[in-house]
Amino acid sequence: MAVPPAASPDGETPGSTRAGDGWYPHYALGVLVVVYVLNFLDRQILSILNERIRADLGLSDSQMGFLFGTAFAVFYALFGIPLGRLADVWTRRSLIAVGLAFWSAMTACSGFARGFGTLAAARIGVGVGEASASPAAFSLLSDWYPPARRATVFAIYSSGIYIGAGLGLMLGGQIVDRWDAAFVGAATPWGLRGWQVAFLVVGLPGLLVAAWTRSLREPLREGTAKAAPVSPGAEFFRELRAVLPPLTLWTAATEGGRGALARNVAAAIPIAIPAWLLAAATSDAAQWSAVGVGVYAATSWVQALSRRDPATAREILHVRTLRRAAAGFGFLAFTGYSVGYWAAPWFMRVRGIPASEVGFTVGGIAAVAGWLGVNAGGALADVLRQRDVRGRLWTGMLVACATPPLVAAVLASSSNAVAFVIVAPLMFVSSAWIGAGIACVHDLVPPALRGSAGAVYLLVITFIGLALGPYVVGRLSQVLGSLGSALMAGSLIGDGFGLVFLAAACLSIGEDQRRADARSAPLPPR
């Protein structure tokens, strides 16, 4: 009887699925799409519940932007770093499954919130859990599919964003309207309002999908067959200590001595002062304290990585194109998250449309048009990349140019029907950059660092796009007295800066890609 090949510490075997092997990669891709659908369903449902939560808990637009964006984003980004490292050294299917179970439970816990603080705590938990999914999923997909197809495959995976966001609007709108209508003037079961029931309904099914995800095979990692074994737990906690205050101070002192501790404290000062000034100017300590802590934590991790692994730091942090592209795609996410969150409240507040109708119409349009756009954008990015090394950056630049006019057209539409029609091309265009962004990152780093590089990329995307976008639009809504004007301003800010950074990345990608290709080239035969 044949003896099965020995498994590596992360669950891989020499007989594991490889890139291009038959039907299984497509099946696994389908499972990961379902995971990402739940990821964004649990995240985006807050949009359609915005007006009810705001009224019940007495919150402002900036506080709602904080709950959707900053409270979630800071912890999503920070835990993405150690969890991205864990994706490089542990069984990726298990990491995704555990994270999915945790964020689903925290989504359900949001249904028991009774105030701003408890809802913020639940959203933080959702962010921590969801940080496990994408770095591990992108790493899996890079090992299941060859480089020439990655932008398309990443786009298919990322289409879960729009399917999940659309389902979140559709389900949330139906649940909140039907539940509240059924108990007008009467006591509700357990005292739950419609928005609380919606969190429970969408959160619990994720526990079942987590078990399904755990059943996936683990592919053989590209380029790491001779990698030395490492302890996944030790790697995770080492990265966590480097990124989680105040453990960052202890890490700096123990790893680098007094000099490293002094540099860490010195780096905190230019972060703390602007955060304090912004908090004083906006009377919003929660927002800017969270952003300040997040930026400091990320800076501490960069210092730690540069101390203990300067080669990895150079591969991920010191590549000009990676920095510029991450910032450029991050600003496209600024617009995407802002429009994705505030569009439904705008239709409800300005146009007076019920939540169930907005959820069904806008949610359905977002799901279909966003799914088509992200897949078409990924395919376009692959085609353009075959013709020119700048092709994936060009895809993002096209999105930056086309999105603001479509936002303006929705806001200026003469009727609800016209506005709904224009939402379709808006969602199609604004989603088209997603596959191109992560594929560009994976093109420029060695295979063994894709999980870590993906986590850093998502950190930038999340800080710029999610921690700032929805909050800034919410704050502008209060300052300008118009949610529509705030949405337009947010689009111009995000797409304008995105275009500038992506154009800058085009200037350096040729040289950086040549270096990446040289590092990844197979050794000549002896």
Side-chain angles (χ1 to χ4, degrees):
M1 183 175 66
V3 178
S8 68
D10 64 359
E12 297 164 346
T13 70
S16 296
T17 305
R18 296 174 182 269
D21 280 357
W23 60 270
Y24 193 83
H26 308 319
Y27 163 76
L29 174 59
V31 176
L32 293 178
V33 169
V34 172
V35 172
Y36 215 29
V37 166
L38 293 179
N39 186 302
F40 268 80
L41 192 159
D42 292 353
R43 187 186 310 190
Q44 194 70 25
I45 194 171
L46 191 66
S47 173
I48 198 67
L49 307 178
N50 181 92
E51 299 300 277
R52 302 293 176 87
I53 295 173
R54 195 169 67 100
D56 281 357
L57 303 184
L59 306 181
S60 66
D61 278 349
S62 59
Q63 286 178 307
M64 292 304 302
F66 173 85
L67 287 172
F68 176 77
T70 315
F72 174 96
V74 168
F75 288 87
Y76 177 86
L78 296 186
F79 275 81
I81 293 173
L83 290 170
R85 178 56 182 158
L86 193 56
D88 285 334
V89 298
W90 192 46
T91 312
R92 292 163 285 184
R93 61 183 182 183
S94 298
L95 177 58
I96 296 171
V98 171
L100 172 55
F102 183 75
W103 91 60
S104 298
M106 295 306 296
T107 299
C109 287
S110 301
F112 300 105
R114 292 294 187 271
F116 177 77
T118 51
L119 187 53
R123 295 294 296 174
I124 288 170
V126 175
V128 171
E130 291 195 5
S132 66
S134 285
F138 286 132
S139 179
L140 283 170
L141 293 172
S142 280
D143 288 331
W144 270 317
Y145 289 93
R149 300 174 61 188
R150 280 181 191 147
T152 299
V153 170
F154 291 162
I156 293 172
Y157 168 73
S158 299
S159 66
I161 294 173
Y162 294 92
I163 299 172
L167 286 175
L169 295 179
M170 296 170 73
L171 290 174
Q174 291 294 322
I175 293 168
V176 72
D177 273 0
R178 290 176 182 272
W179 181 272
D180 288 347
F183 296 100
V184 174
T188 61
W190 305 290
L192 296 175
R193 304 299 297 269
W195 61 268
Q196 295 171 308
V197 174
F199 280 124
L200 291 168
V201 169
V202 302
L204 296 177
L207 301 176
L208 298 176
V209 178
W212 183 25
T213 305
R214 181 61 183 81
S215 70
L216 291 174
R217 300 176 196 167
E218 186 79 7
L220 187 67
R221 293 181 194 260
E222 180 185 346
T224 57
K226 297 182 179 179
V230 297
S231 169
E235 287 293 308
F236 171 76
F237 285 109
R238 184 176 74 154
E239 299 294 341
L240 187 63
R241 290 194 302 268
V243 77
L244 190 64
L247 296 178
T248 49
L249 298 172
W250 180 79
T251 300
T254 55
E255 290 185 356
R258 293 181 179 178
L261 178 60
R263 286 190 294 273
N264 186 270
V265 173
I269 296 173
I271 297 171
I273 292 175
W276 178 79
L277 292 173
L278 286 167
T282 61
S283 300
D284 200 337
Q287 165 70 18
W288 299 112
S289 296
V291 170
V293 168
V295 174
Y296 161 73
T299 302
S300 297
W301 177 78
V302 168
Q303 291 179 339
L305 181 64
S306 299
R307 283 194 307 270
R308 63 196 183 207
D309 195 350
T312 295
R314 286 193 299 271
E315 295 286 0
I316 296 178
L317 304 174
H318 298 168
V319 179
R320 290 176 300 168
T321 303
L322 283 179
R323 296 196 302 267
R324 295 169 179 178
F329 288 118
F331 276 107
L332 298 189
F334 181 103
T335 298
Y337 280 121
S338 299
V339 173
Y341 182 74
W342 288 109
W346 179 81
F347 276 106
M348 296 164 65
R349 187 184 308 176
V350 177
R351 296 296 177 96
I353 306 173
S356 56
E357 183 180 344
V358 171
F360 182 80
T361 306
V362 176
I365 292 171
V368 174
W371 181 86
L372 291 172
V374 75
N375 284 285
L380 175 64
D382 277 342
V383 170
L384 293 177
R385 176 63 177 80
Q386 291 173 12
R387 298 180 179 181
D388 192 288
V389 72
R390 297 166 293 181
R392 287 169 178 158
L393 299 173
W394 287 345
T395 303
M397 295 171 71
L398 288 172
V399 170
C401 292
T403 300
L406 291 169
V407 172
V410 171
L411 298 174
S413 57
S414 58
S415 68
N416 293 339
V418 172
F420 286 143
V421 168
I422 302 173
V423 166
L426 171 59
M427 293 299 178
F428 181 92
V429 168
S430 64
S431 65
W433 62 271
I434 295 174
I438 187 62
C440 182
V441 171
H442 280 214
D443 283 347
L444 292 166
V445 298
L449 299 179
R450 286 177 185 145
S452 297
V456 173
Y457 171 75
L458 291 174
L459 183 149
V460 176
I461 293 290
T462 303
F463 267 119
I464 297 177
L466 190 53
L468 294 179
Y471 171 82
V472 167
V473 170
R475 172 61 63 176
L476 288 173
S477 175
Q478 292 174 217
V479 172
L480 301 175
S482 168
L483 182 54
S485 298
L487 277 166
M488 190 68 250
S491 177
L492 293 173
I493 292 169
D495 291 309
F497 279 105
L499 186 61
V500 170
F501 278 105
L502 292 174
C506 285
L507 300 177
S508 57
I509 193 171
E511 179 181 353
D512 288 337
Q513 189 64 64
R514 283 192 293 273
R515 290 175 180 172
D517 292 342
R519 291 193 301 270
S520 301
L523 294 175
R526 293 184 178 181

